[in-house]
């Protein structure tokens, strides 16, 4: 079972939270939207730091981050460590940019729905 909210869930909610809107519009799971919100608060976090903050397993957090990267909601930078090796640090896409992405995605969807309404019965 998935915790990705459907459009119906969003429409039936009187006061949806930003995380719920984010999850619904981008088709991500609610725990992935929570990861984005925590990443906004703690830019430059590692998987281990986020796992501790979210109280989730590192492998689950890593999967959430991969989804956020794919959706354009996060960026990853590699930081070299003094004793050798490296660690990835993650930063959320800035909130104003994420809001623009949300508006654009919704506008595209609304346009598509209007087209389907207008096309219905014309054939």
């Amino acid at each position: 079972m998935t915790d990705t909210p459907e459009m119906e869930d969003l429409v039936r909610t009187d006061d949806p939270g930003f995380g719920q809107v984010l999850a619904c519009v981008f088709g991500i799971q609610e725990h992935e939207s929570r990861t984005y919100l925590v990443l906004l608060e703690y830019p430059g976090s590692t998987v281990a730091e986020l796992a501790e903050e979210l109280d989730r397993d590192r492998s689950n957090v890593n999967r959430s981050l991969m989804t956020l990267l794919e959706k354009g909601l996060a960026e990853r930078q590699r930081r070299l460590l003094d004793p050798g090796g490296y660690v990835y640090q993650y930063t959320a896409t800035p909130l104003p940019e994420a809001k623009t992405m949300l508006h654009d995605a919704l506008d595209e969807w609304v346009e598509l729905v209007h087209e389907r309404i207008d096309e219905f019965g014309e054939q």
Side-chain angles (χ1 to χ4, degrees):
M1 184 170 158
T2 178
D3 67 339
T4 304
E6 299 291 330
M7 187 60 72
E8 182 178 338
D9 299 330
L10 190 62
V11 170
R12 290 178 185 225
T13 303
D14 290 333
D15 189 21
F18 182 78
Q20 186 179 6
V21 172
L22 189 71
C24 184
V25 171
F26 285 116
I28 62 177
Q29 297 183 20
E30 289 185 6
H31 65 86
E32 293 164 339
S33 67
R34 282 193 313 273
T35 301
Y36 172 80
L37 295 173
V38 168
L39 205 50
L40 275 176
E41 289 183 57
Y42 301 99
S45 294
T46 65
V47 171
E49 292 166 341
L50 288 169
E52 185 175 328
E53 189 63 35
L54 291 163
D55 193 28
R56 297 189 65 226
D57 184 76
R58 287 172 52 159
S59 63
N60 290 331
V61 171
N62 194 49
R63 282 192 293 276
S64 292
L65 289 167
M66 292 303 107
T67 298
L68 294 177
L69 289 168
E70 290 171 8
K71 298 291 184 176
L73 292 169
E75 296 178 356
R76 176 175 79 174
Q77 291 187 337
R78 189 168 73 166
R79 183 185 65 165
L80 297 175
L81 300 173
D82 287 336
Y86 62 89
V87 67
Y88 286 115
Q89 293 179 293
Y90 296 85
T91 302
T93 297
L95 189 56
E97 189 176 331
K99 286 180 177 181
T100 298
M101 292 167 62
L102 282 166
H103 283 292
D104 291 347
L106 279 175
D107 290 345
E108 287 177 25
W109 182 79
V110 167
E111 185 176 323
L112 177 67
V113 170
H114 282 295
E115 287 175 9
R116 294 302 174 259
I117 292 169
D118 293 342
E119 291 170 355
F120 185 75
E122 290 182 0
Q123 298 175 358

